[in-house]
Amino acid sequence: MLPAETSPARAAVRIRGLHKRFGDTEVLKGIDLDIAPGEVVAIIGRSGSGKSTLLRCINGLETLDTGELTVEGQTVQAHDAKSLRELRRRVGMIFQGFNLFPHLSVGRNVMLAPGLVRGTPRAQAESEARELLARVGLEHKFDAAPEKLSGGQQQRVAIARALAMHPSVLLCDEITSALDPELVGEVLRVIESLAVEGMTLAMVTHEMGFARRVSDRIVFMHEGRIHETGGPQQLFESPRTPELAQFLGHLAS
């Protein structure tokens, strides 16, 4: 549910009746979800519960079999190329893998999409790329090759690249899962700073401490459905269903 002060018409993301199937397997079984502007939502659950597929549907990387997706009041037409292009201008995504272009410098990786998609002049794109790299603590790596960076640094470049498109909503799909433990903190600090600044965030994460500290709301997915949702304190301390209690107990063991 949306926070009480936010009407459905003002939702940053509004999903109704979302179903998604891959072959004979129904991965999403009727998702209803609203995300308010500036809200930070953490999506948790076991592997295979549909978390990443949900994010990919929100970003248009997977089409909806049935259901409706609205971003900032605009209904996304799943099979309309123009509608999907507009969606990807509004919704940025950061993946588990960094997906940087190895043949481009760090700076060029950040500059590429604004130039190609938004038509941003080169000088402006470079200036903004330098500002964004400074924001994630990598201003000195503008001319570096991605292969020369640590995993944590590469993921921070990926964050800067997503922000270069000025998204209204940022999706994060297990963005620390490919990192060594000592590198996780540097990436999460950047995401936490975005949350503090009011970015609308939807995060699939297994970092429960981070989710509890940063999120306004937790969504627990189980077998393709939103099984339970609520504020971090309520959900972590007083789960209402045995499935969530078992999931949290497994993490603590």
Side-chain angles (χ1 to χ4, degrees), residues 4-252:
E5 68 273 13
T6 305
S7 67
R10 293 188 59 243
V13 176
R14 183 173 174 82
I15 300 169
R16 288 294 178 271
L18 170 56
H19 288 257
K20 179 63 185 178
R21 179 183 297 273
F22 294 105
D24 294 331
T25 303
E26 189 176 25
V27 178
L28 298 177
K29 304 173 182 178
I31 300 294
D32 294 330
L33 178 65
D34 292 317
I35 301 174
E39 188 179 18
V40 179
V41 175
I43 303 169
I44 65 173
R46 296 185 185 279
S47 177
S49 60
K51 307 182 303 294
S52 293
T53 299
L54 175 59
L55 287 195
R56 291 175 65 86
C57 286
I58 295 174
N59 197 42
L61 294 173
E62 301 289 352
T63 57
L64 286 61
D65 290 339
T66 59
E68 183 177 274
L69 168 64
T70 302
V71 177
E72 295 189 315
Q74 300 296 314
T75 300
V76 177
Q77 305 297 329
H79 300 288
D80 181 84
K82 183 178 179 181
S83 178
L84 289 176
R85 284 195 301 271
E86 181 59 29
L87 172 67
R88 289 171 188 148
R89 287 173 179 258
R90 297 169 182 262
V91 181
M93 188 161 181
I94 308 166
F95 301 87
Q96 297 177 33
F98 321 125
N99 296 344
L100 300 179
F101 293 107
H103 62 289
L104 298 178
S105 69
V106 164
R108 288 288 294 157
N109 264 277
V110 179
M111 293 169 59
L112 184 63
L116 289 178
V117 179
R118 303 181 71 95
T120 305
R122 182 183 175 90
Q124 179 183 343
E126 179 175 340
S127 175
E128 292 182 355
R130 290 185 182 278
E131 290 177 5
L132 287 168
L133 287 171
R135 184 176 185 176
V136 300
L138 293 172
E139 63 271 28
H140 58 296
K141 297 294 186 179
F142 185 90
D143 294 314
E147 65 181 16
K148 301 297 184 181
L149 273 57
S150 69
Q153 289 174 326
Q154 289 188 58
Q155 192 61 290
R156 283 187 279 155
V157 173
I159 295 170
R161 181 177 61 181
L163 294 176
M165 289 295 290
H166 304 288
S168 303
V169 180
L170 188 60
L171 311 176
C172 304
D173 186 12
E174 292 281 19
I175 62 173
T176 60
S177 64
L179 300 178
D180 293 332
E182 65 270 18
L183 302 177
V184 169
E186 66 186 63
V187 173
L188 294 184
R189 282 190 292 273
V190 175
I191 298 300
E192 186 166 4
S193 71
L194 294 175
V196 169
E197 293 168 12
M199 172 69 76
T200 305
L201 290 167
M203 312 178 297
V204 170
T205 183
H206 63 277
E207 300 286 347
M208 294 299 121
F210 176 73
R212 182 168 185 159
R213 183 173 74 251
V214 173
S215 301
D216 299 305
R217 184 160 47 113
I218 307 292
V219 170
F220 171 60
M221 291 190 65
H222 180 69
E223 295 183 349
R225 295 183 172 90
I226 293 180
H227 197 71
E228 192 167 338
T229 184
Q233 182 174 354
Q234 174 266 310
L235 189 138
F236 282 114
E237 295 183 6
S238 304
R240 297 188 299 270
T241 63
E243 290 83 1
L244 176 57
Q246 185 180 42
F247 172 74
L248 295 175
H250 176 74
L251 292 176

